[in-house]
């Protein structure tokens, strides 16, 4: 279904890449749940929380170049789209108490988006973002390890 691929492509390049809220409204189901390291304590619940989480991230880590989609394909039953992409973000502002470093960090992510009624209702993030994880370890370790 080209529509599903196009919906997820827009979500990835315009919302995740640039925090474009019009793209968020056009691609996300109001009841979306997001499983991402940007909220390590549990799923993002709903479109408003997803917008707030992603806007805060992109504010602190603005994109240095457009998102580059490496692979994208749809599940056989047409309900899911898998997208692997690269994005390069500059750590330009403090983020969760970690002072800005101005490092340009590569994010290498694979997202499994489940769609319902032409909108993304679930997005599961799997990522190889070791540089970001090491940068954020002082804050994330206590949240995750207790």
């Amino acid at each position: 279904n080209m529509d599903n691929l196009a919906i997820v492509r827009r979500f990835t390049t315009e919302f995740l890449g640039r925090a474009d809220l019009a793209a968020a409204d056009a691609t996300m189901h109001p009841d979306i749940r997001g499983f991402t390291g940007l909220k390590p304590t549990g799923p993002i619940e709903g479109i408003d929380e997803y917008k707030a989480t992603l806007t805060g991230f992109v504010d602190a880590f603005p994109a240095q170049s457009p998102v580059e989609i490496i692979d994208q394909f749809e599940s056989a039953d047409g309900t899911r789209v898998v997208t692997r992409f690269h994005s390069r973000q500059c750590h330009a502002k403090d983020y969760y108490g970690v002072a800005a470093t101005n490092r340009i960090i590569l994010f290498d992510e694979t997202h499994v988006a489940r769609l319902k009624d032409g909108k993304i209702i679930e997005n599961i993030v799997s990522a190889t973002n070791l540089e970001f994880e090491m940068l954020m370890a002082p804050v994330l370790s206590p949240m995750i390890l207790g």
Side-chain angles (χ1 to χ4, degrees):
N1 185 329
M2 276 311 294
D3 289 346
N4 284 352
L5 295 173
I7 288 161
V8 176
R9 196 160 35 250
R10 183 173 183 198
F11 170 80
T12 304
T13 58
E14 298 179 26
F15 176 61
L16 298 181
R18 302 199 309 262
D20 179 324
L21 297 183
D25 290 330
T27 61
M28 288 199 286
H29 191 284
D31 299 328
I32 190 171
R33 298 182 89 212
F35 298 82
T36 164
L38 296 182
K39 188 186 174 195
T41 55
I44 294 171
E45 300 285 357
I47 192 170
D48 292 337
E49 188 178 21
Y50 218 127
K51 286 178 180 177
T53 301
L54 209 281
T55 300
F57 169 74
V58 172
D59 182 54
F61 285 85
Q64 294 305 291
S65 54
V67 167
E68 177 190 3
I69 292 181
I70 310 293
D71 276 313
Q72 188 179 55
F73 50 89
E74 194 167 18
S75 63
D77 67 1
T79 62
R80 289 173 173 76
V81 173
V82 177
T83 306
R84 179 169 174 237
F85 66 89
H86 286 172
S87 72
R88 287 172 177 78
Q89 318 280 137
C90 179
H91 182 204
K93 292 185 183 174
D94 295 3
Y95 191 64
Y96 286 99
V98 177
T101 60
N102 293 309
R103 293 176 71 95
I104 294 176
I105 294 179
L106 170 68
F107 290 79
D108 180 352
E109 303 197 350
T110 301
H111 291 209
V112 180
R114 185 164 59 86
L115 291 94
K116 178 183 175 185
D117 303 326
K119 299 279 180 86
I120 300 165
I121 193 159
E122 180 182 70
N123 193 47
I124 300 171
V125 176
S126 177
T128 309
N129 294 337
L130 293 177
E131 191 174 8
F132 177 73
E133 290 161 9
M134 293 302 103
L135 179 71
M136 297 305 297
V139 175
L140 291 178
S141 293
M143 290 172 73
I144 295 168
L145 302 177

